[in-house]
Amino acid sequence: MKNPVPILATGLLSVAAVAQVVTENLKSGGPVVRSAEVPWGALNPARGDKGPRAGGLWNDRTKEESSGFLVRFKDGFESPPHIHNVTYRGVVIRGLVHNDDPDAAEMWMPPGSFWTQPAGEVHITSAKGEDVMAYIEIDSGPYLVLPKEKAFDKGERPVNVDPSNLVWLSASQAGWLEAPEGVKDEALPEMVFLWGEPETGSTSGSFIRLPKGFSGELVCGGKALRVVAVTGSLASIGSEEGEAKGLKPGEYFGLSGSESRVLQSGDDEGCVVYVRADGPYRVEPLKSSDQ
């Protein structure tokens, strides 16, 4: 990879000073969607209450545009074999999800897993656990559920990735910058490249892992960023109003242009977020001089 998302490691801010920095260094941020604000409805209206529920995070999956939304499954749900008219990507947020060919052996994906479902390919989706939830995104709608008899082959193949198979790159491993003196690599964010070509500045998707107690600024350098909390504790995101509210798994915020947000992971655990980027972006650890 050719320095696709540089992390500028220029000295870390002490956790004790985060509240002051979040208040003083905020820049305008994009919209935030909290759990209580998600508008839920039937994913497939033809199945009504028997099917999964869907809640929009950004754009509208029923229109001819890219979009991202949450899907909630009941424990034990199993769909009949079916296809979709468009390719989608998925990230498991809660519970266990199985998504594969109807004859495939079960592969239960836990939170933090990533998968893709090609348009036109027959598959089933199953769920196990209480209030199973996944994030789904498409590049162009509308998103439709169609019978298996309408299957077609676009030449794409599905991908299922368990968290244990993710390849995390540190700042130095990715060739961004060496950790500053006195700061270990594990104190800096890590990244997994999931899809797209981030080195060209085109649309791409990645996981970003922030270590516990990390404080830094996420800066949009392109058209837009779409950020969904996946696992762990994102203790605060600096809001436009100067407040520092956290982000729970399944919640969302967006940035555009040169906007940014100050992020802080929890003191007890780190966190993983999924980032869909229309162009470049960077994560900058806060400097001691910013106190």
Side-chain angles (χ1 to χ4, degrees):
M1 291 292 180
K2 300 179 180 178
N3 303 331
V5 186
I7 288 183
L8 305 182
T10 54
L12 298 181
L13 179 68
S14 64
V15 175
V18 167
Q20 177 182 353
V21 172
V22 169
T23 301
E24 296 178 355
N25 290 356
L26 289 176
K27 300 179 181 178
S28 62
V32 179
V33 179
R34 306 288 181 184
S35 297
E37 301 166 342
V38 175
W40 293 99
L43 176 65
N44 181 7
R47 297 199 68 188
D49 293 338
K50 295 182 180 180
R53 308 292 288 172
L57 293 181
W58 57 276
N59 288 352
D60 187 339
R61 71 182 185 278
T62 68
K63 296 182 179 180
E64 295 182 358
E65 60 184 6
S66 59
S67 62
F69 52 98
L70 298 174
V71 178
R72 294 171 68 176
F73 306 91
K74 293 182 179 179
D75 184 24
F77 170 81
E78 182 174 322
S79 73
H82 64 283
I83 72 163
H84 298 284
N85 61 315
V86 296
T87 297
Y88 75 79
R89 306 178 190 94
V91 177
V92 182
I93 304 293
R94 286 201 301 262
L96 300 170
V97 174
H98 167 74
N99 189 89
D100 213 328
D101 181 276
D103 298 324
E106 288 184 339
M107 175 183 170
W108 291 105
M109 296 181 287
S113 300
F114 172 80
W115 85 94
T116 64
Q117 180 56 52
E121 182 167 302
V122 179
H123 65 287
I124 62 169
T125 304
S126 306
K128 185 163 56 176
E130 295 299 321
D131 196 20
V132 181
M133 187 165 69
Y135 167 72
I136 305 295
E137 70 175 24
I138 58 176
D139 290 333
S140 180
Y143 170 95
L144 302 174
V145 181
L146 301 173
K148 65 179 181 179
E149 289 75 19
K150 294 190 176 183
F152 58 91
D153 188 352
K154 288 185 62 179
E156 301 177 0
R157 295 295 175 261
V159 174
N160 289 3
V161 184
D162 184 90
S164 63
N165 292 325
L166 294 172
V167 179
W168 291 96
L169 300 179
S170 67
S172 59
Q173 289 172 329
W176 299 325
L177 285 176
E178 294 296 327
E181 185 176 356
V183 177
K184 298 181 179 179
D185 265 341
E186 52 265 34
L188 298 174
E190 297 174 292
M191 172 182 288
V192 171
F193 300 108
L194 296 172
W195 62 273
E197 299 179 350
E199 68 270 19
T200 68
S202 59
T203 304
S204 65
S206 305
F207 281 146
I208 298 294
R209 182 163 63 189
L210 305 180
K212 63 180 181 181
F214 174 82
S215 304
E217 191 171 37
L218 176 66
V219 182
C220 179
K223 183 179 179 181
L225 290 182
R226 314 285 186 177
V227 182
V228 180
V230 178
T231 62
S233 171
L234 189 56
S236 66
I237 58 171
S239 70
E240 188 174 0
E241 294 78 18
E243 300 174 347
K245 297 181 179 179
L247 204 71
K248 298 184 293 185
E251 296 185 332
Y252 161 88
F253 72 89
L255 299 175
S256 61
S258 59
E259 292 178 332
S260 66
R261 280 189 180 273
V262 176
L263 309 180
Q264 181 195 358
S265 60
D267 293 342
D268 297 329
E269 61 178 338
C271 64
V272 174
V273 298
Y274 172 78
V275 179
R276 176 191 172 98
D278 293 327
Y281 68 98
R282 64 186 186 273
V283 180
E284 298 180 348
L286 293 177
K287 303 176 184 179
S288 298
S289 58
D290 290 335
Q291 297 184 40

